[in-house]
Amino acid sequence: MKQTKIVASISDRHCDVPFLRQLFEAGMNVVRMNTAHASEEGIKNIIRNVRAISTHIGILIDTKGPEVRTTGCAEPIVYKTGDVVKIFGRPEMDTSHDIINLSYENFAADVSEGCHILFDDGALDMVVIGINGPQVIAQVQNDGVLGSHKSVNVPGIHIALPPLTDKDRKNIMLAIDQDIDFIAHSFVRSAADVRAVQAILDAYNSDIKIISKIENQEGVDNIDEIIDASYGIMIARGDLGIEVPIERIPGIQRQIIRKCIERKKPVIVATQMLHTMINNPRPTRAEVTDIANAIYSCTDALMLSGETASGKYPVESVRTMAAIAEQAEHDRVRNPVDMVLSPDCDIREFMAHSAIEATEKLGVKGIITDSNTGTTARSLAAFRGPNPVLAICYNDKLQRLLNLSYGVIPVYQKEHIGSEQLFLAAVRMLRQKGYVQLDDKIAYLSGNIGAGGGTKFLEINSVKEVFEQNYQFHLPNLK
């Protein structure tokens, strides 16, 4: 009965059909594939198995994006505080204790004396004490260990990497070929990074949607243009918590969620939501509170990473997150700001607002809409109503896309039927799922059914009246 959606990361080493079916039944709405840890054949195998369970599950693939990593090393390297090392941008050479080589050739040109270089998600900190041509001289700030191909972050510094790597382009083409639903582009810094991905999709007439991952200060600074250029946003708190002062993360999260809601764009909160459950069957109280606070802030979706990709308790993690979400949604006090119309609202937004307002003032228990594009359903989701929205989709891809929108139950209608039959079938489905009872009221938000043209009317009826033999259908005859 939860309304918040769950994205679960899946490894190609553990993606068999029975396992994926368990996750789906536990509450998973979208499968996420991390291209950094899967081969092309592994990705295809995940996709095949997901679709064998249901064509209704959304599928999302990550790109690597403009990131810097260390090169390989023969064995983990131990560093002591005060050690001095040289750092080069030489992707073809391995790393040793005294010389760290990076995947980005022009690294020395982008950093300056005094800046911090953080390795392996911040586990190892070094400060630049000198630059000599392509050589960066740095001093180790804490005892630590550095392994192969670890992340490199330089907080507050613009690294002039191109928005896409060759591997990214290859994976985007794989996504197009497999007709998946979402591409989550990593380390997005501006709208230009989003447009670089969109240009490839447009060249191949692909309708895959872009989710921009916000992971650095540049992404935060340019969040408005990034939201406008994207289908949705992922707040990737792992790298973000390294790139910006960690105490700012909760405020940034709330700000981004609010901006996405205002623009009717799905937003995902990700990273270490139930990190303890990678190795333990129960979460910490802090993790439970973290999830609840994201829901109190009205996020559309939550994401599990290692918990489901490599953890010992993947199904329990999804089940736990779903239970926390359902309770937090019940406990959340609706804020008047959730119901505010934008100053330049159109007919669709006004109707959506009226339908949600009816749940507050008239006791409407469910809302039904139909859609070719999902715009009305996303408008309804943005107002974060207390009751479900049943969205009848006229193509199967839209059903999967709406799996990222809060409170929307997307249903694919394969064949066109008349407006009366459509409405009756939808009410019957909501009743069978237990969302509405005979004495409840139901709202119907629609337009020229199956023909586009946008939302034009709102009708409110009692469920009992809909099912009565003498019910006279009040909607326009739009067959």
Side-chain angles (χ1 to χ4, degrees), residues 32-94:
R32 174 233 180 185
M33 304 177 296
N34 188 344
T35 56
H37 304 293
S39 65
E40 179 176 329
E41 187 51 45
I43 290 170
K44 290 180 178 178
N45 191 39
I46 294 173
I47 295 169
R48 280 194 299 269
N49 290 350
V50 170
R51 288 175 174 164
I53 296 165
S54 173
T55 58
H56 305 162
I57 303 171
I59 301 177
L60 177 151
I61 190 170
D62 274 2
T63 63
K64 288 172 62 64
E67 67 170 354
V68 182
R69 287 189 173 268
T70 63
T71 60
C73 53
E75 57 185 20
I77 303 168
V78 178
Y79 288 98
K80 296 294 184 182
T81 303
D83 287 351
V84 175
V85 301
K86 298 174 182 177
I87 302 173
F88 292 89
R90 298 186 299 199
E92 73 283 356
M93 299 183 66
D94 285 343

Side-chain angles (χ1 to χ4, degrees), residues 22 47 56 81 94 104 132 136 171 239 290 293-294 312 331 355 383 391 403 408 452 463 472:
Q22 283 184 295
I47 295 169
H56 305 162
T81 303
D94 285 343
Y104 173 45
N132 184 13
V136 175
N171 285 323
D239 279 278
D290 180 37
N293 281 332
K312 294 180 181 178
D331 295 339
F383 291 113
N403 272 328
V408 177
V463 175
Q472 296 296 314

